[in-house]
């Protein structure tokens, strides 16, 4: 009996022990495991789903006032984020952007580097032959990769590249600007035949022939800057013109009604957009007491523009209320809200969700919010201290600002929803101006640069120019494209990015490139810090 | 002389035993402790396996006892006795309680040892030494009770998370909490309660995962500190091990215990905010228009959101021992209201522990099982709220002239967040059910050989419903008018199988015992997170119901497996991973009554397989040797590094037994130990290229974007264990029969191959990659503890206990630098306060040097507007515990002080809310802001201005008790009344509410310490307790 029991205990124990021994291999419960062997790469799990993911990543990366948007806009002469007492100090990130005193540890410099490089790797995986993407998928992935790589080249001047089968122990090789330029050019060229001709409409959120032509035009118009060749080559300018003409051939063109372009409605100017909420393009400048029913918390009272930039627009100097002779693109600050039954003007026929008899948010101005702000009922808006909310042109400096210093800029409008998901990335007016500039820089087209600029100005209800200088061209781009992430690049192309402007001293040309983030240098010894940092 | 006689006697009886045919008879008797019969006492005939135990009246009967034999009586907690039979047939024994501390049993991994024989640094705290009063979770029971153990409750919230550091912080990124083993079941290191983000208010800290255990069910907690003790737990031992043993029925005759605690808690401290008139005056003085901000009322917002909280706790248990075993069954209920409105923790628990012996006691069956339900209600308090603050931040900054009405008419609405409306319009409730079981069978195969099989099962199911009503006004994001709700579910299952074999052998002058074992543990974790937007009925209960019904309608309609789904104005989509990646757009079922919702699931399984062994060898009871080895295989690591080996060795020398040590020493023991342990607390499967769908949620525009698939890790096949090696030298000493006793330990711990989430070299699939960092974290320290019975008379007993530990932490050989310690608040986006770098301790502050204000009220930075190392760290260097207990006749008084020293706290609350600029923007501030020389437009950037010394000494608890005299005929066995005060005073220079704090301010994947931001305030609690036994 005893011995039997003993035996059975041992047997049981051994059995349990042996049967419980495991090879510790995980099963796919939570995720798909790629069947990689060693350093090999077996292709992405599903190409179309991976592509969706990349469009989503792009959207997520732009759904903020930080990173790429901040690097391109807040570093320029059209925007600044003043520190207002306890507000917007944010560890100095905004001040250093404005003053061009950023360093390799700047958070946005790092985030932008990471975001775009990560996109490049994910897209390279789709592009790799192992993934078996169909021709259109391949073309879309190449366009998207070119888009992200374009920003890396533009901002940092160096583009690292990792092959899909290279693991974390491999230090990616680094392309200098000219090599990266060719790489992007090749991606776009290869993509072109298999990209769809979408034309204006809701599908403009996907890669298309028109979007690829647009990016090619951007490459060529900046090529002499990227390659450091001094001045633009005629054949490059003709490339710009050809690509812009190709966009027009896809059905895109200029359209009147400037602020209507920045709504979710279909228009003929939007070449490429993303369904990112535009909240971070609106609320960051609006005051706390500028609210809509779906955002009763109001704005974040930060972003402003510079007086000099505001002065580029036509109109009376002292105010921007209706009747100040302003051109359309300067917008206006209404004296009161608009009734939903009104049949003309921007707010005509808008939503009144809270039923107060006014279109939601119709007391908030368009374009440049300067001077006294008003409530829906026509009363003066007050600041938190009970003083009239009067946005001033003048500011004491980057520090020491009050709640009301600085003119606010609003291109998208909260009356279309506090967080409407429609952000424009490529717009035909930009292509049109690129074509004009290409002609100005020696390209040949069916119209002169001045004619093209005036064509746009006429549409925007601005008086025509009599002649066209470089400065006029830069200014015109500023008036048309403010807040659309092109200002830094334009200033560099016109040689003005490192010059002095309000609250900023002139800097060396090295600031035309951002530093390689310090953690990137640590993680990849093939990278060399840009000169000047 | 006596000994000599006894020896001769034993010798003679041995000769008789072997030399003659023995006369045998049956011996009976009763065993008592002097007053009461003792059930469950082990009795055996010396030198044989013939034995029995006393029944529940303390009686025993043992047959086949040689008339010249010796009976050995043994019972845990009592001194072993040997009584020669001398031909008697009735032998009554009186067991004496074992006063000597060194004969205490110490629970170690996979077994017990007499403290005398322990070679490692192990401290056991048993129930009588636990902290008293309102205790939500087990760790609080031993806070400050033993040297080298730092217990920091992260806030004053009922059931708040607790950080435990045994001998410093070893890991940069991996988990730093010790391994908890409850009745032999090692718990998983992950959180089991559903929690997470509070739409719009940031994230809240997880609650303490040990809340499921009723502290009243715990018999002892054993803290394994050095590597020679923890190496038996191998890969999970690097942060120390805490072994929790629950109460059994052993040694109790049929007994019912009932205890209750009734407590009252009030906030221990509050900010010195301005009152209505003072605030208006200050606001006017800084240049504001007083009339514009005066809303007419006089509201004390701190009062509005806090309350006097009541606590009740009831525990009922029945325990019994019988001849072949014992059992204990208990029921507990506790309801801990928090001092902040809307916060509460309720626990219902039951436990059944059974021990039963079969086959002449050769087979010992044990079952330890507990079941619990914890209901948590939480107020909207977060770790990282932005410029408008969470409930606490909003209350600190709220205009004191604003009426407390949570729901003002639209025209009275000022755009500020009204704290009371956060209370009124949010709801956050979590229910967590947990079942834990350990069943074991131990069989004595031969006299010296036993085998044990052990099965453990630990299952937790947690459900959280969160809602923020669309009726709320004044918050950002698209909540007003729409409402948001969340449901989070987690199901965690931890299964254990263990098999061990024990062999022991006594030789003439030495003893040997060995243990070998195999262990397999599986951790399964699955859950669903659902978020909804756009509700019809803005009642929060209805919102959560609507979301639950809507998700059920969708989940029931989906055929096959899925990872996630979403529903909005564009209809329903389903994202599947298996059998292949697909996005389906089936028609939406009926029954969805929210405008948009999105659900996402996760399901991970991890395994751990281990082989381990231990050898103990002692010579002449003076020289003790222990060696252990554990091999662990884990699914957390892949490729070539699946298995890790963790050896240890220890030696102890009982010097007091040596002739050259003066008799003054009743104990003198030297301990040396060295061991290697590991850490595997990293996320699931980081070594395979894995894909799943990206996160899903309802956007502020009410749209659910359909996610695509992407890589979730940048796979690293070379990932391996983080390794900690530790050397320990210890000395235990005692004088006067150990009336004065203590220990001194010195250790050196070095952690290498640090598991670390580092920035990938781009381009990469992920921004971060997990690596074994080629750097070291060194912790070295000294621990000292002393225990002295100043008086030990029948009527008067006075004990003094003292422990102190010092730890020095340093990161070495690290070239990089990584920002951590996120600072939040108005104008503080992207700010941080700490930097990880070589040559600095972990959690070193990296700040601008503050030099006061200039004549314009702007901050002066003498060293420039740049952040630099301050030479100060958030880690305490010194931990202190002082306890004293006085017993006089029926009265007893015990008090306990705890302190932490040598660390700094970053006051993020002050940085975000209490500055001149905050006052200028119409917020309330603390009194010291008025006239502090700061200009209204000064930017309060992160600087040493907000860094403060955190040193504190707290009267953690004081208990006065009275034990009634019970008449022997009474149906009562004991009756005790007690009054306990907790957190009665706090001595500190820290200007915030409490320096013992750890708001989770992780950044770049690095945890933080020492930062305080809108932390749930701590309470002062007074509790009346009643304990009665029948």
């Amino acid at each position: 009996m005893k011995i039997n029991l003993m035996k059975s205990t041992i047997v049981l124990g051994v059995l349990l022990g042996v049967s419980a021994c495991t090879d510790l291999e995980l099963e796919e419960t939570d995720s798909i495991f790629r069947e990689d062997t060693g350093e090999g790469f077996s292709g992405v799990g599903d190409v179309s789903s991976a592509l969706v993911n990349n469009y989503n990543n792009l959207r997520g990366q732009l759904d903020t006032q930080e990173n790429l948007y901040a690097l391109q806009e807040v570093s320029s002469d059209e925007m600044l984020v003043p520190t207002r007492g306890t507000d917007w100090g944010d560890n100095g990130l905004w001040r250093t952007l404005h003053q061009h005193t950023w360093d390799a540890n700047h958070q946005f410099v790092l985030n932008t580097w990471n975001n775009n490089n990560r996109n490049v790797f994910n897209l390279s995986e789709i592009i790799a032959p192992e993934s078996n993407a169909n021709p259109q998928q391949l073309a879309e992935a190449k366009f998207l990769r070119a888009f992200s790589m374009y920003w890396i080249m533009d901002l940092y001047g160096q583009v690292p590249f990792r092959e899909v089968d290279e693991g974390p122990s491999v230090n990616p090789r680094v392309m200098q600007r000219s090599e990266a330029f060719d790489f992007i050019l090749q991606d776009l060229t290869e993509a072109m035949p298999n990209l769809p001709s979408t034309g204006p409409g809701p599908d403009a959120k996907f890669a298309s022939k028109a979007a690829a032509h647009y990016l090619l035009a951007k490459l060529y118009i900046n090529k002499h800057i990227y390659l450091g060749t001094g001045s633009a080559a005629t054949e490059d300018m003709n490339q710009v013109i050809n690509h812009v003409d190709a966009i027009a051939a896809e059905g895109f063109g200029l359209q009147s009604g400037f602020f209507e372009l920045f709504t979710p409605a279909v228009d003929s100017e939007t070449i490429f957009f993303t369904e990112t909420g535009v909240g971070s393009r609106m609320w960051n400048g609006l005051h706390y007491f500028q609210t809509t029913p779906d955002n009763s918390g109001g704005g974040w009272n930060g972003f402003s523009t510079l007086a000099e930039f505001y002065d580029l627009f036509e109109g009376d100097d002292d105010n921007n209320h209706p009747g100040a002779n302003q051109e359309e693109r300067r917008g206006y600050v209404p004296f009161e809200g608009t009734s939903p039954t009104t049949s003309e003007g921007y707010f005509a026929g808008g939503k009144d969700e809270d039923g107060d008899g006014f279109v939601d948010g119709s007391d908030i101005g368009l374009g440049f919010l300067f001077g006294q702000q008003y409530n829906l009922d026509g009363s003066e808006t007050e600041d938190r201290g009970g003083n009239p909310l009067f946005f001033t042109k003048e500011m004491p400096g980057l520090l020491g600002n009050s709640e009301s210093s600085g003119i606010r800029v609003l291109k998208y409008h909260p009356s279309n929803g506090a967080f409407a998901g429609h952000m424009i990335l490529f717009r035909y007016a930009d292509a049109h101006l690129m074509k004009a500039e290409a002609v100005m820089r020696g390209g040949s087209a069916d119209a002169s640069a001045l004619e093209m600029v005036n064509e746009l100005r006429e549409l925007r209800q601005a008086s025509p120019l009599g002649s066209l200088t470089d400065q006029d061209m830069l200014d015109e781009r500023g008036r048309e494209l403010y807040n659309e992430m092109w200002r830094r690049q334009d200033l560099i192309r016109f040689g003005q990015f490192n010059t002095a402007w309000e609250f900023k001293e002139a800097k060396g040309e090295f600031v035309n490139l951002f530093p390689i983030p310090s953690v990137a240098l640590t993680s990849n010894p093939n990278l060399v810090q840009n000169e000047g940092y | 002389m006596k000994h000599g006689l006894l020896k001769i006697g034993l010798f003679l009886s041995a000769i008789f035993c072997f030399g003659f045919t023995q006369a045998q008879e049956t011996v009976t008797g009763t065993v008592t402790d002097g007053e009461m019969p003792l059930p469950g006492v082990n009795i055996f005939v010396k030198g044989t396996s013939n034995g029995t135990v006393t029944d529940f009246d303390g009686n025993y009967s043992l047959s086949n006892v040689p008339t010249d034999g010796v009976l050995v009586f043994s019972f845990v907690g009592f001194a072993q006795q040997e009584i020669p039979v001398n031909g008697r047939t009735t032998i009554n024994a009186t067991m004496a309680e074992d006063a000597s501390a060194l004969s205490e049993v110490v629970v170690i991994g996979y077994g017990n040892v007499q403290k005398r024989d322990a070679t490692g640094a192990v401290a056991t705290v048993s129930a009588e030494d636990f902290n008293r009063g309102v205790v939500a979770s087990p760790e609080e029971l031993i806070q400050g009770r033993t040297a080298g153990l730092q217990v920091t409750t992260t806030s004053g919230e009922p059931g708040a998370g607790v950080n435990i550091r045994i001998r410093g912080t070893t890991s940069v990124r991996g988990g730093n909490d010790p391994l908890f083993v409850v009745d032999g079941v090692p718990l998983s290191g992950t959180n089991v309660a559903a929690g997470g983000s509070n739409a719009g208010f940031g994230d809240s800290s997880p609650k303490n995962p040990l809340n499921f255990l009723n502290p009243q069910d715990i018999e002892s907690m054993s803290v394994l500190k050095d590597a020679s003790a923890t190496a038996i737990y191998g890969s999970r031992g690097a942060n120390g091990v805490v072994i929790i043993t629950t109460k059994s029925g052993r040694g109790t005759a049929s007994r019912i215990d009932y205890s209750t605690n009734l407590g009252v808690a009030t906030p221990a401290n509050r900010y010195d905010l301005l009152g209505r008139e003072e605030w208006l005056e200050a606001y006017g003085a800084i240049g504001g228009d007083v009339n514009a901000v005066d809303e007419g009322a006089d509201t004390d917002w701190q009062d509005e959101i806090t309350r006097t909280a009541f606590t009740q706790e009831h525990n009922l248990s029945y325990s019994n021992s019988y001849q072949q075993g014992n059992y204990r069954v208990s029921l507990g209920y506790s309801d801990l209201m928090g001092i902040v409105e809307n916060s509460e923790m309720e626990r219902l628990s039951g436990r059944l522990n059974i021990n039963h012996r079969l086959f002449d006691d050769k087979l010992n069956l044990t079952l330890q099982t507990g079941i619990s339900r914890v209901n948590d209600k939480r107020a909207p308090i977060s770790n990282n709220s932005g410029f408008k603050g969470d409930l606490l931040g909003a209350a600190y900054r709220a205009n004191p002239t604003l009426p407390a009405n949570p729901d003002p008419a639209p025209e009275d609405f000022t755009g500020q967040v009204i704290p009371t409306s956060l209370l009124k319009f949010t709801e956050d409730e979590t229910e967590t059910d947990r079942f834990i079981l350990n069943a074991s069978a131990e069989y004595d195969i031969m006299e010296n050989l036993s085998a044990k099989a052990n099965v453990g099962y630990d299952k937790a199911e947690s459900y959280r419903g969160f809602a923020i009503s669309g009726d709320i006004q004044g918050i950002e994001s698209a909540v007003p008018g729409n409402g948001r709700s969340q449901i989070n579910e987690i199901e965690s299952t931890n299964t254990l199988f263990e098999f061990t074999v024990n062999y022991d052998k006594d030789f003439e002058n030495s003893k040997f015992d060995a243990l070998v074992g195999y262990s397999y543990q599986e951790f399964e974790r699955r859950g669903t997170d659902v978020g909804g937007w756009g509700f019809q009925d803005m009642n929060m209960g209805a919102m959560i119901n609507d979301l639950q019904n809507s998700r059920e309608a969708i989940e029931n309609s989906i055929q096959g497996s899925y990872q996630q789904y979403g529903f909005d104005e564009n209809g329903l989509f389903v994202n599947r991973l298996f059998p292949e990646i697909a996005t389906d757009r089936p028609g939406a079922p009926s029954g969805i009554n929210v405008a948009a919702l999105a659900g996402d699931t996760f399901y991970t399984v991890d395994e751990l397989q281990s082989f381990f062994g231990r050898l103990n060898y002692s010579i002449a009871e003076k020289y003790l040797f222990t060696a252990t080895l554990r091999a662990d295989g884990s699914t957390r690591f892949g490729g070539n590094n699946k298995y890790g080996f963790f050896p240890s060795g220890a030696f102890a020398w009982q010097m007091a037994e040596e002739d050259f040590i003066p008799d003054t020493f009743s104990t003198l023991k030297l301990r040396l130990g060295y061991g290697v342990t590991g850490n595997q607390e990293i996320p699931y499967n980081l070594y395979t290229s894995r894909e799943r769908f990206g996160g899903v949620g309802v956007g502020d525009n009410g749209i659910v974007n359909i996610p695509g698939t992407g890589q979730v890790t940048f796979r690293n096949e070379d990932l391996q264990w983080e390794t900690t090696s530790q050397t320990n030298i210890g000395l235990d000493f005692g004088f006067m029969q150990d009336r004065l006793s203590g220990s001194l330990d010195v250790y050196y711990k070095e952690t290498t191959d640090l598991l670390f989430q580092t920035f990938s070299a781009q381009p990469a699939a992920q921004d971060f990659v997990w690596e074994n960092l080629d750097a070291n974290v060194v912790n070295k320290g000294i621990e000292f503890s002393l225990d002295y019975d100043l008086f030990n008379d029948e009527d008067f007993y006075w004990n003094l206990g003292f422990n102190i530990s010092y730890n020095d932490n340093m990161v070495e050989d690290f070239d990089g630098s990584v920002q951590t310690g996120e600072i939040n608040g108005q104008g503080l986006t992207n700010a941080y306060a700490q930097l990880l770098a070589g040559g600095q301790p972990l959690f070193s502050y990296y700040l601008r040097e503050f030099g006061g204000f200039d004549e314009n009220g702007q901050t002066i930075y003498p060293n420039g507007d740049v952040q630099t190392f301050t030479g100060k760290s958030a880690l305490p260097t010194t931990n202190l515990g002082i306890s004293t207990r006085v017993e006089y006749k029926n009265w007893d008084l015990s008090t306990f002080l705890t302190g932490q020293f040598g660390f700094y706290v970053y006051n993020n609350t002050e940085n975000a809310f209490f500055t001149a600029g905050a006052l200028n923007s119409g917020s309330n501030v603390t009194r010291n802001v008025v006239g502090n020389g700061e200009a209204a437009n000064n930017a309060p950037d992160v600087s040493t201005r907000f860094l403060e010394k955190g040193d504190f000494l707290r009267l953690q608890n004081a208990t006065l008790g009275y034990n009634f005299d019970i008449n022997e005929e009474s149906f009562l066995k004991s009756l005790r009344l007690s009054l306990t005060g907790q957190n009665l005073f706090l001595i500190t220079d820290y200007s915030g509410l409490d320096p013992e704090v750890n708001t989770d301010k992780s950044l770049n994947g690095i945890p933080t310490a020492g930062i305080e931001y809108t932390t749930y305030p701590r309470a002062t609690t007074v509790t009346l307790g009643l304990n009665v036994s029948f």
Side-chain angles (χ1 to χ4, degrees), chain A residues 488-531:
Chain A
R488 168 185 163 272
Q489 196 184 78
D490 291 348
L491 286 169
I492 291 172
R493 197 165 65 251
F494 286 89
Q496 297 190 15
F497 185 65
N498 58 332
T499 58
W501 56 71
E502 207 176 357
F503 314 131
K504 182 220 159 194
E505 294 166 12
K507 303 288 280 189
E509 273 195 20
F510 74 92
V511 297
N512 289 352
L513 286 178
F514 282 101
I516 305 294
S518 52
V519 296
L521 288 173
T522 317
S523 62
N524 184 1
N526 295 335
L527 288 162
V528 178
Q529 185 55 280
N530 286 328
E531 214 175 296

Side-chain angles (χ1 to χ4, degrees), chain B residues 647-678:
Chain B
S648 83
F651 165 67
W653 178 20
Q654 285 286 5
M655 296 164 71
E657 307 280 319
E658 302 285 359
D659 294 340
F660 60 83
I661 297 294
D663 287 344
T664 331
F665 286 95
S666 48
T667 298
L668 189 63
K669 182 165 121 184
L670 178 71
R671 288 178 278 107
L672 301 172
Y674 174 81
V676 177
T677 49

Side-chain angles (χ1 to χ4, degrees), chain B residues 150-173:
Chain B
Q150 179 199 340
V151 177
T152 306
T153 48
T154 55
S155 78
E157 187 176 12
V162 175
N163 292 133
I164 298 199
R165 299 290 174 267
I166 295 175
R167 294 188 165 176
T169 304
T170 56
S171 180
V172 177
R173 182 52 183 82

Side-chain angles (χ1 to χ4, degrees), chain A residues 384-386, chain B residues 279-280 283 288-296 399 401-402 922:
Chain A
R384 293 186 292 191
Chain B
W279 183 73
L280 288 172
Y283 187 68
D289 175 0
V290 170
N291 295 324
V293 295
D294 188 353
E295 303 290 332
N399 178 341
T401 72
L402 199 64

Side-chain angles (χ1 to χ4, degrees), chain B residues 113 364 378 577:
Chain B
V113 290
N364 192 349
R378 306 186 78 171
L577 288 170

Side-chain angles (χ1 to χ4, degrees), chain B residues 977-1023:
Chain B
L977 272 178
S978 61
L979 189 66
T980 299
Q982 286 167 277
N983 191 19
L984 292 178
F985 68 76
L986 174 71
I987 301 172
T988 181
D989 286 337
Y990 180 66
S991 72
L993 294 184
D994 201 315
E996 184 193 339
V997 68
N998 183 16
T999 311
D1000 182 3
K1001 309 297 288 175
S1002 317
L1003 190 64
N1004 295 320
I1006 301 174
T1008 59
I1011 300 177
E1012 191 256 19
Y1013 186 49
T1014 63
T1015 304
Y1016 193 109
R1018 238 186 214 85
T1020 293
T1021 309
V1022 177
T1023 318

Side-chain angles (χ1 to χ4, degrees), chain B residues 155 169 185 213 305 348 373 497 514 627 664 674 726 739 791:
Chain B
S155 78
T169 304
V185 183
L213 267 178
I305 61 157
L348 190 61
R373 150 70 66 94
F497 169 75
T664 331
Y674 174 81
Q726 185 179 177
R739 250 181 81 181
F791 292 90

